Amino acid sequence: MKRFTLISAAIAATLTASAQWNVDNNPVVLSGTETGQIQPKVALTKDGKMYLAWRTAKSSGKALCYSFPHLQLLDKDGNALFGVNGLAVSEHRSPSWNSDYSLVATSDGCAIISNADSRSEEAEDLERYNAFTPVWYKIDQEQNFVWGLDGLALTDRINSPFTDTFVVGDDVWIQDKTSSYDDVNYFNRVTADGTLVFENSLPIFGQIIPSINGDFLSIGSGSNGTEVQRYNREGKNVWSEPSTIASTNSGGHDLHPYRINPDGKGGAYATWTREVGMFGHTICTQHVSADGDPTFGLDAMDALADENIDINYPKQAVDTKNNTVLVTFPEKDGDGNFSFKIQKFNEEGDRLFGDNGKTLETKGEDYAGWAYNNYGVEPVGDGEWLICYSDRQAWALEYLYVARINKDGEFVWKQRIMEEGYITSVSFVKGDDCSYVVYQGEDDVDGTMLKGARIFDNGTFDNGAGISTVNENLSKAISTTIHSIDGKLVQTVKGEKYDNANLAPGMYIITTKDAQGKTKSMKITK
């Protein structure tokens, strides 16, 4: 399919924004000057750039709200390559209240943004848009619309408000679905130039994850419980029947109720919320091999042995090197106590943090519902993990954190992203040596703006190559020493400032001494 480029987009490309990524814990505005930006989604490219998508919400003045999709590309330093306010992907109205969209980065460095719009009924006097045409746009790093300015639209299905996109190797699979949880999802594979491989989309129920040899696993709720089926590139099921991996289905109602990550060997780990009794919830996890075998036994393993403790809203990450999975979740008990907890499983389903999990944070006051919000977890190497969560202080006020924990579930470091107020739609993604937090925040006049922060794996905001300071409640520091974790002296400097750019990867103890002999120590990871 011929590539198309908007003239206005080409002009905007010369207007590279200069905000760049943060160099401290203060977030930066990522989406320019226009307000009303909602529902951010991010995707990282192999060359270290970040695609950022959002919708800009507008009202017609007739109690009718709609939105338009936008796309931005940030380089490694956070410079906006698609102009100050990003690229306007489409002028077709999207009903934002009951539809969803997706963003992925392809193996060739392009972005695919999907949406559901009302191009078939765009009269200004409509009280409500009822048509949902699913459409996919492929846009390269030069802002070319690879699949045409109007995208790859499935005009024969105008009742599919929810769209998704999956990358399996070099293949791109698109999914559209209705607003009913009971209906099947329709999949199709798309060639690089935007041609549908199958004349009729395939009815495949579930969420998909790459397997091996171009195959993928589809995990979803079935009649006998949670099921998995393996499909090849031609959309044919590999097994004659799906494998039932748990007797219970997800009790969640979000668009992606199963948290799924590949195990690096063609199988996958899945975590979901199941209902207990009338109002309770617990979290269960299962590992399924590339052959469909559930290695946690014939049923999934609960994160906690006591299913009477209410836990919900899980996130999951997999350490493929050590064959472990970490599940993070908030907890509340019957006495008004709240905790943020983690549980780790090996490939056999053993609870490595005991029957009660590991508590990272706890408090006893409920300001507004759940006291902790769970935003993500990522493996960082050597059996350690990065987690993103918030501590709610009051209604519409929460403190946002990124922390690193070791293999025993202990904090290595914890950094607060200095934003107070209303935070929503948080995305937490891992780069090569850093992670990114992107979210929907507020500007000074209560408009919604997209903000973000970058933090490196060693807990710094400047990659550890600049000057770091230990001080805290010390008088004028006279010396600072750096020791390796085994006690060997690595460096001694005057004052409290040190340069760790030349330190080899590893863990170090930094100790600062003041004129009165008081010392302050901290642990860093390079």
Side-chain angles (χ1 to χ4, degrees), residues 66-100:
Y66 49 86
S67 63
F68 300 98
H70 287 71
L71 183 67
Q72 181 61 272
L73 178 63
L74 304 173
D75 66 14
K76 290 183 178 181
D77 295 320
N79 295 306
L81 302 181
F82 284 3
V84 175
N85 290 313
L87 175 66
V89 175
S90 172
E91 296 182 353
H92 297 295
R93 295 180 177 90
S94 297
S96 58
W97 67 90
N98 56 354
S99 65
D100 194 41

Side-chain angles (χ1 to χ4, degrees), residues 249-252 257 271-275 281-284 311-314:
N249 289 319
S250 171
T271 292
W272 64 96
T273 299
R274 69 175 180 90
E275 297 174 344
H281 307 85
T282 194
I283 293 168
C284 53
I311 53 177
N312 203 342
Y313 313 112

